[in-house]
Amino acid sequence: MTIEGDSKDYDLLASWSEKIARASKNKIMLTAEIGMRKGLGSKLIMNYIRPNYSGLHFHVSIDPYGDLIYEHYDKSKPSKMDYNEAMFTEVKKDFAEEPRFNLLNMTDRVFMEKYYYGVEFWWDSKEYLLNQYALVHFDGPHKTTDVINEAVFFAERAAPGAVFIFDDWRTYNCRIIRDVLNEYDFEFCSNGSRKMIMQKKYEKNNTENNS
């Protein structure tokens, strides 16, 4: 099975996923991707975290599909992208046997309203309500205001050392994003041609263990 991506710098996504997996001391980890499309981002997150993490890893992907018409970029007119029902059907088939994974067929705004208090998972006869994120891949709407809203939502739920990876960072005002996240103790780490990495500072008593 070959899962395609529509961006670049997937090596950054893979390496940071592995890095947080090795650094985490928590027994449970939650990660997310906004804008799953064909699924390469989510697949890499799970593939690079799970072999390198001793705890339980849960992942949620958010994407409405359905030929949604919306303003994708700053100052752009509403347009229909190619995220259609056929793609959604294929993604569901490709990820049908992926454990501890939720594909939520909705927009980012609906997700933030509906799952404000956490995402539910059922695994090994137990229910988990999780609301602290260790890594988030932002690859949904590329309007500055939308990315700010997403960044704030997840920053308020970010674990110490959480990593935020922003795709297509050149297409919106990433300086504002960086300034906003600085208020939540995030620091700029690096960027490639398409992806920008920011990380939340570790709590003081965890700094030495994760340096």
Side-chain angles (χ1 to χ4, degrees):
M1 177 180 64
T2 301
I3 296 178
E4 298 178 2
D6 63 347
S7 188
K8 297 180 179 180
D9 297 331
Y10 285 107
D11 57 323
L12 289 177
L13 181 60
S15 63
W16 279 94
S17 295
E18 181 176 350
K19 184 175 180 178
I20 65 161
R22 294 186 182 278
S24 178
K25 307 299 181 183
N26 298 326
K27 295 181 179 179
I28 294 175
M29 179 186 293
L30 174 63
T31 59
E33 179 176 48
I34 301 176
M36 186 178 185
R37 202 170 186 269
K38 293 186 177 181
L40 180 58
S42 287
K43 192 66 175 177
L44 287 173
I45 291 169
M46 289 185 279
N47 281 359
Y48 278 85
I49 286 179
R50 293 180 174 180
N52 299 294
Y53 177 59
S54 60
L56 281 176
H57 172 235
F58 297 84
H59 181 75
V60 58
S61 295
I62 304 109
D63 202 311
Y65 296 98
D67 291 314
L68 187 67
I69 298 174
Y70 67 103
E71 297 176 7
H72 197 60
Y73 301 101
D74 290 342
K75 299 180 181 179
S76 68
K77 295 181 179 180
S79 60
K80 182 169 72 173
M81 309 302 287
D82 65 344
Y83 315 128
N84 54 37
E85 287 303 304
M87 183 183 292
F88 180 44
T89 299
E90 188 68 21
V91 168
K92 286 191 294 183
K93 182 176 67 175
D94 289 342
F95 286 80
E97 297 183 7
E98 195 71 57
R100 302 183 303 280
F101 165 74
N102 278 352
L103 171 54
L104 301 178
N105 186 207
M106 61 187 64
T107 65
D108 57 331
R109 293 182 183 180
V110 172
F111 170 81
M112 290 185 288
E113 293 174 0
K114 187 172 183 178
Y115 295 96
Y116 185 89
Y117 295 105
V119 181
E120 295 172 303
F121 291 86
W122 285 264
W123 176 254
D124 196 23
S125 302
K126 294 181 181 179
E127 179 182 1
Y128 296 85
L129 179 63
L130 307 178
N131 204 24
Q132 188 178 63
Y133 295 84
L135 181 146
V136 182
H137 184 214
F138 298 84
D139 193 14
H142 291 346
K143 283 176 63 70
T144 301
T145 52
D146 290 332
V147 180
I148 290 173
N149 289 335
E150 294 170 353
V152 169
F153 177 87
F154 285 102
E156 291 177 343
R157 296 158 177 79
V163 173
F164 283 6
I165 302 175
F166 295 89
D167 191 63
D168 289 332
W169 61 273
R170 299 178 189 271
T171 62
Y172 45 83
N173 193 330
C174 68
R175 182 176 295 275
I176 294 178
I177 308 301
R178 288 171 60 171
D179 288 344
V180 168
L181 287 178
N182 285 341
E183 298 299 315
Y184 289 89
D185 292 328
F186 277 78
E187 296 178 320
F188 170 79
C189 294
S190 65
N191 64 261
S193 62
R194 297 284 288 272
K195 297 190 190 300
M196 178 179 72
I197 316 296
M198 297 193 70
Q199 185 173 28
K200 184 177 176 67
K201 297 177 184 177
Y202 284 99
E203 295 175 351
K204 188 174 182 180
N205 60 341
N206 289 332
T207 302
E208 293 185 1
N209 293 331
N210 294 283
S211 59

